[in-house]
Amino acid sequence: MSTTTPRLPTYFISHGGGPWPWMKDEMGDTYAKLEAALADMPRQIGVRPRAILMVSAHWERMNFTVQAHPQPPMVYDYGGFPPHTYSVRYDAPGDPALAARVQGLLEAAGLPAGLDAERGFDHGMFSPMKAIYPEADVPVVQLSLKKGLDPAEHLALGRVLAPLRGEGVLIIGSGLSYHNLRAFGPVAAAPSRAFDDWLQQAVVNSEPAVRTQQLIAWEQAPAARIAHPREEHLLPLMVAVGAAEAEPGQCVYHENAFMGGLTVSSFRIG
C-alpha cells in the first residue's frame, strides 16, 4: 500500500434517521443543514480518498468484523418508512483488499477480527454517503462495533487503524450525537443541549490526553444516559478520535433545533 498520500482526517458524523435522502418530499428541509454539512466533506478533505472505512452504529459483532463483499448488497435495517425506501440503491463498490488490510492490522495488535463476505451496507452507511459521495464511486468497507460497547476498546481500535489515514483511507464513524428515540422534540431540548455542550468541550476544547479520558468516562457527562440510553450511536466517535488521538478536533456540523428541538453535532479530528 502506498504511504505517499496526505494523511487524511477522521470524522464522526451524525447520520440522521432512516433513509432520509430518499424522503425529501415527505420531510421537506428537515435535513437541509445536515445534508449541506455532509456534502461539504469532500471540499474539506481536499483530496479524493482511495476508499472509506465506515464504522456504523448499526452493526455489532462479538469481535470486530470487517465487511469483505466486493459489491455489497443493501440492508434495509429500518421500519415504518414509505415503500419506495425499501428499494433504494447506493451501489458503491466494496474493497476486499482493504478489508484484509484492516483485519491484518487488528490481528497484529492482538484484537481478534473476522471477515464477513456477505454483509451489506446498512443505513448508517448509505444514508450519509448519499450526501457525501452521491455518485457512489468511492469504495466503502464497513467495520463493526464490538458487543459490550467498551469505549476504551473502541479508542484502541481507532489507534490500530491510524496507519490507514496515510494510505488514502478516510475513516468515518457514523452514529448520532444524540440518540434517544423515546425522547425527541421539545422534551429533548435541554438534555441534548447539555450533552452536546459536553461533547464540544471534550472533543474540540480539551487537550488530547484529557479528551481520551473524558471519552472513556463519557457516562459521567451531563445527561449522558438521556442522550444515549444505549451507546451504540456514540461509540463510532471513539474510533474516529482514537485514529487521530493526538490531533485537534473541530465541530463541522451543529444545529440546535433539529427534529423539533434537538441539539446535534458532527466532528472532524485531525
Side-chain angles (χ1 to χ4, degrees):
M1 298 258 181
S2 170
T3 57
T4 60
T5 54
R7 186 167 59 174
L8 297 176
T10 70
Y11 282 84
F12 169 70
I13 59 171
S14 288
H15 63 225
W20 62 265
W22 291 271
M23 295 178 58
K24 292 182 180 179
D25 288 345
E26 294 88 349
M27 306 202 74
D29 63 356
T30 299
Y31 284 95
K33 290 183 179 180
L34 176 59
E35 183 173 31
L38 294 169
D40 191 51
M41 285 172 56
R43 181 199 63 80
Q44 296 172 22
I45 297 161
V47 297
R48 182 181 178 85
R50 179 179 67 79
I52 291 170
L53 181 64
M54 171 78 77
V55 180
S56 165
H58 293 277
W59 189 22
E60 296 176 38
R61 287 289 184 85
M62 291 304 299
N63 291 309
F64 295 119
T65 303
V66 195
Q67 180 187 54
H69 198 299
Q71 193 68 54
M74 302 289 282
V75 178
Y76 303 114
D77 56 338
Y78 41 73
F81 290 95
H84 76 270
T85 63
Y86 297 89
S87 59
V88 301
R89 304 293 309 174
Y90 186 83
D91 290 323
D95 189 335
L98 174 59
R101 168 76 170 135
V102 171
Q103 183 189 37
L105 284 171
L106 269 61
E107 291 191 335
L111 297 177
L115 294 176
D116 188 329
E118 298 182 0
R119 167 75 185 189
F121 292 138
D122 62 58
H123 80 271
M125 177 278 186
F126 62 73
S127 288
M129 285 300 298
K130 178 68 172 174
I132 301 168
Y133 289 108
E135 300 302 316
D137 52 359
V138 176
V140 181
V141 169
Q142 286 196 224
L143 171 61
S144 78
L145 298 171
K146 182 180 177 182
K147 287 187 181 294
L149 302 177
D150 184 319
E153 284 189 314
H154 288 79
L155 282 155
L157 169 65
R159 295 182 196 115
V160 171
L161 298 174
L164 298 174
R165 296 174 55 208
E167 300 172 9
V169 178
L170 179 66
I171 298 171
I172 300 176
S174 176
L176 287 166
S177 62
Y178 177 93
H179 190 256
N180 184 342
L181 299 181
R182 297 189 178 191
F184 261 49
V187 69
S192 68
R193 183 171 60 250
F195 187 73
D196 194 270
D197 286 348
W198 176 84
L199 272 180
Q200 301 291 337
Q201 178 62 37
V203 178
V204 179
N205 297 321
S206 295
E207 292 297 318
V210 175
R211 177 175 64 195
T212 295
Q213 291 308 309
Q214 288 178 317
L215 292 179
I216 289 172
W218 75 272
E219 287 180 275
Q220 299 174 19
R225 279 299 179 187
I226 300 175
H228 292 280
R230 190 175 187 276
E231 56 266 44
E232 80 285 347
H233 276 74
L234 184 65
L235 267 290
L237 170 65
M238 314 308 179
V239 184
V241 170
E245 194 167 24
E247 297 173 50
Q250 177 184 356
C251 181
V252 292
Y253 159 70
H254 179 80
E255 58 181 305
N256 56 17
F258 180 67
M259 300 289 278
L262 299 180
T263 298
V264 288
S265 296
S266 298
F267 300 94
R268 166 184 166 145
I269 318 296

